[in-house]
Amino acid sequence: MGQRKGNGPAVRQAGEYDLVELVRLRALLFEDLGGHFFSPVSADDDWLDALAVVLKEQLTADAVRILVVDGDGDGDGDRGLAACGIATIEQRLPGPHLRNGRIGHVIGVVTDPSYRRRGHSRSIMRGLLDWFGEREVARVDLYASAEGEPLYRELGFTDHPDPALYWRP
């Protein structure tokens, strides 16, 4: 069922039956990040419906990988998810600093609070990095929370040389 790397938890690719839990964990990610940018005061919950639609479409997309770790369960057969990680690959124009133009993005890795500090994020990240490697991406980008940054640095992520700016219409 799941893939196991070393002694870490079993990681598997998400399926359509995981949608409710994926939406729950994604919402948790933004709650944990906090701040006006990630949780604007004017926001309502319709984004969750849009998220479910897009996740369902992306579950089978070649340029998207969604990995999960199952929860332990509460005895009634409903295990839920302990953690998930979402990654995408974007094709850009090749350049001297981006030989094939393929950039990987880790869109979010989140672990349910009751399952933290058990190696779930590390196992998911290793699975995503293997997937990126198989697809010969030239670079992988991510935004790290303060809690996640030590793990990402341990896995080889460093400060990005480009200044990051954004614009919202």
Side-chain angles (χ1 to χ4, degrees), residues 104-125:
H105 298 277
V106 176
I107 304 300
V109 176
V110 62
T111 302
D112 183 284
S114 62
Y115 291 98
R116 290 185 179 156
R117 313 300 306 163
R118 298 186 194 182
H120 298 323
S121 292
R122 178 181 312 281
S123 293
I124 286 172
M125 280 300 300

Side-chain angles (χ1 to χ4, degrees), residues 62-76:
D62 290 337
V64 177
R65 177 60 53 117
I66 303 174
L67 298 180
V68 298
V69 173
D70 290 309
D72 297 334
D74 55 10
D76 67 359

Side-chain angles (χ1 to χ4, degrees), residues 92-164:
R92 293 190 184 173
L93 297 174
H97 63 293
L98 201 59
R99 68 187 183 282
N100 61 14
R102 282 194 289 276
I103 296 180
H105 298 277
V106 176
I107 304 300
V109 176
V110 62
T111 302
D112 183 284
S114 62
Y115 291 98
R116 290 185 179 156
R117 313 300 306 163
R118 298 186 194 182
H120 298 323
S121 292
R122 178 181 312 281
S123 293
I124 286 172
M125 280 300 300
R126 286 186 175 144
L128 293 176
L129 292 174
D130 288 347
W131 180 72
F132 286 132
E134 292 164 5
R135 279 145 189 82
E136 299 178 349
V137 301
R139 185 180 82 219
V140 176
D141 293 342
L142 62 75
Y143 293 98
S145 67
E147 294 80 21
E149 186 174 345
L151 168 63
Y152 301 129
R153 288 193 182 279
E154 184 181 316
L155 292 171
F157 286 83
T158 61
D159 294 326
H160 201 292
D162 297 333

Side-chain angles (χ1 to χ4, degrees), residues 9 12 32 34 36 43 48 50 57-58 60 62 71 86 113 118 141-142 148 159 166:
R12 64 174 174 82
D32 284 352
H36 181 69
L48 295 169
E57 293 169 357
Q58 296 297 310
T60 57
D62 290 337
I86 303 171
R118 298 186 194 182
D141 293 342
L142 62 75
D159 294 326
Y166 74 95

